[in-house]
Amino acid sequence: MSLVRLNIKGISYSQTQNGAYALLLSEINGKRQLPIVIGAFEAQSIAIALEKEIKPPRPLTHDLFKTFADRFSINVKQVIIHKLVDGIFYSSLICERDKIEEIIDARTSDAIALALRFDAPIFTYINILEKAGIQLKPGKSSSIFDAKLTDKEETTGGSQSGTGKIEFTSFSINQLNRLLEEAVKNEDYEKAARIRDEISKR
């Protein structure tokens, strides 16, 4: 069965499941996109891997796995989303050590977080994309985080839009950099990603 390569399009807060995020994967050379519901921790881990300039003060679980694998010469060659049952995606890590390949079962969110750290390609089968793929309308937001804020985040300052999101447009670059350092120190990577987006716009 034919494999289709996917790219990470973005992550947004899931409007259907409280505390969950929607990871959006997009097919290369195609218009279909695959939405996958993931947890907050995995969403933060994926966002950190995408935002190269955000460095957590201590290694996350997926960073630890990468370091462990490097020490023992294990490489993740690719990730395959190979099954969809009752709305749950199943994935495999294709690993290699001493030219011997092993297939390891993994949650899709973990598999993608590791794929980013190993620069490994992500694939799915065409029948899964045909079954669960969607086509978003042009102009749809695909920012790394398009999330609702928690009460804690709403007390940190900045103007607030009608949707409950804090706008960072009124802050100076120096203030944004200080807020970014504080967010990373507090391991608030969701907020850090939004601040990073604002700095990049400047």
Side-chain angles (χ1 to χ4, degrees):
M1 196 174 295
S2 179
L3 284 172
V4 179
R5 185 167 178 177
L6 303 170
N7 275 339
I8 296 175
K9 186 74 174 178
I11 302 174
S12 64
Y13 190 83
S14 174
Q15 302 299 322
T16 58
Q17 295 191 34
N18 187 33
Y21 289 77
L23 170 66
L24 199 61
L25 303 175
S26 178
E27 67 173 325
I28 295 179
N29 301 322
K31 297 181 180 179
R32 290 171 296 186
Q33 300 182 8
L34 199 64
I36 300 174
V37 175
I38 62 175
F41 171 78
E42 292 78 11
Q44 289 180 352
S45 182
I46 291 169
I48 288 169
L50 290 169
E51 293 280 347
K52 304 297 184 183
E53 296 181 35
I54 297 178
K55 300 294 183 184
R58 300 291 296 149
L60 301 180
T61 303
H62 299 111
D63 299 320
L64 174 61
F65 184 98
K66 175 65 164 62
T67 302
F68 181 89
D70 287 344
R71 294 288 175 88
F72 290 94
S73 303
I74 300 169
N75 183 45
V76 175
K77 293 179 63 178
Q78 62 184 18
V79 166
I80 299 177
I81 303 170
H82 63 84
K83 188 167 65 173
L84 174 61
V85 179
D86 296 330
I88 299 174
F89 293 89
Y90 292 77
S91 296
S92 295
L93 299 172
I94 312 302
C95 303
E96 183 181 65
R97 182 172 183 265
D98 295 333
K99 298 183 179 180
I100 299 174
E101 279 193 3
E102 294 285 349
I103 300 175
I104 299 175
D105 182 41
R107 295 188 307 166
T108 298
S109 54
D110 289 328
I112 291 172
L114 291 173
L116 285 168
R117 287 162 171 80
F118 283 90
D119 292 321
I122 303 165
F123 296 93
T124 192
Y125 289 107
I126 192 167
N127 65 318
I128 293 178
L129 198 55
E130 289 172 348
K131 182 178 179 181
I134 60 172
Q135 288 194 36
L136 294 181
K137 294 179 181 179
K140 183 74 172 179
S141 173
S142 60
S143 61
I144 288 177
F145 273 106
D146 184 16
K148 291 182 178 178
L149 301 182
T150 64
D151 292 339
K152 176 183 175 183
E153 290 164 335
E154 290 173 354
T155 62
T156 57
S159 62
Q160 188 169 323
S161 70
T163 60
K165 291 178 64 178
I166 291 177
E167 301 293 340
F168 293 103
T169 54
S170 61
F171 290 99
S172 69
I173 288 293
N174 288 337
Q175 289 174 320
L176 287 172
N177 283 322
R178 284 197 295 271
L179 286 172
L180 179 61
E181 291 177 7
E182 181 182 342
V184 172
K185 183 179 180 180
N186 294 332
E187 299 185 5
D188 190 350
Y189 303 119
E190 176 183 328
K191 180 180 175 184
R194 287 196 306 274
I195 298 170
R196 183 72 250 169
D197 286 345
E198 179 62 30
I199 292 174
S200 297
K201 289 178 187 176
R202 305 286 180 92

